[in-house]
Amino acid sequence: MGSTDYQFRTVWRVAGTPEEVVAALGDATTLPLWWPSVYLSAEPVAGVPEPLPGIPRPTRLHTKGWLPYTLRWTLTVTEPITPRGFALTAAGDLNGTGRWSFEVDGPETVITYDWHVRAAKPLLRRLSWLLKPAFAANHRWAMARGQESLALELRRRRAAARSTAGSTAPGAPAVPPPPPPTFAWLSRRAARTDT
């Protein structure tokens, strides 16, 4: 493995079913809504039809972690999204593959994410030999925000479903918003350059 290659395995545990998890993670265009600490923008690639049932169009992403740099890359789902998981490729500032796997454990879902990427962004390529531990810590920070944000999103979706069904208890506590991005100026700049 070279200095610009990264391999990560992340395991999350959230209250919810694999179907609920798939509804959130399987639609990359919604990631900035519920995981804004990492996903600054997500746009389907124009002019590309949905390849097969269960495989959405590729999505252009603008992402960041705790450190003050951003990445632009395209996420392409490479197999149908199911309650057991799905695979993807990354192309752009990061190139490689990822796999989300979902497993039921009582009222919870255990989520495993295997991510094998190579840094292509010039800053990361040039400094990877020196700052690889910092870049890896940045990834771990981003994934910790993801678990927190997904848990909140699943609570929010359940509360909205109960509200629609008329079964929300009066005075039920509101679900807090997800953690925001660090270095807010990057988010503002991203919004200006993505329009």
Side-chain angles (χ1 to χ4, degrees), residues 48-91:
V48 177
E50 190 170 300
L52 294 170
I55 299 181
R57 289 187 295 162
T59 304
R60 282 195 188 92
L61 300 170
H62 189 192
T63 60
K64 67 172 301 307
W66 183 84
L67 295 173
Y69 65 85
T70 65
L71 300 170
R72 292 184 186 274
W73 53 285
T74 299
L75 179 153
T76 302
V77 174
T78 57
E79 63 185 41
I81 297 171
T82 73
R84 295 189 50 86
F86 61 95
L88 60 97
T89 61

Side-chain angles (χ1 to χ4, degrees), residues 1-8 93-96 115-132 135-136:
M1 188 164 74
S3 68
T4 60
D5 294 329
Y6 294 84
Q7 292 185 18
F8 301 106
D93 288 340
L94 295 173
N95 295 305
W115 187 225
H116 304 276
V117 290
R118 174 173 290 214
K121 183 171 183 155
L123 167 76
L124 298 180
R125 267 197 351 262
R126 282 194 305 270
L127 297 178
S128 204
W129 66 274
L130 176 65
L131 298 176
K132 193 167 191 172
F135 295 152

Side-chain angles (χ1 to χ4, degrees), residues 109-120:
T109 296
V110 177
I111 303 164
T112 303
Y113 187 55
D114 289 303
W115 187 225
H116 304 276
V117 290
R118 174 173 290 214

Side-chain angles (χ1 to χ4, degrees), residues 84-107:
R84 295 189 50 86
F86 61 95
L88 60 97
T89 61
D93 288 340
L94 295 173
N95 295 305
T97 61
R99 176 172 290 282
W100 290 102
S101 302
F102 314 126
E103 185 178 326
V104 175
D105 187 11

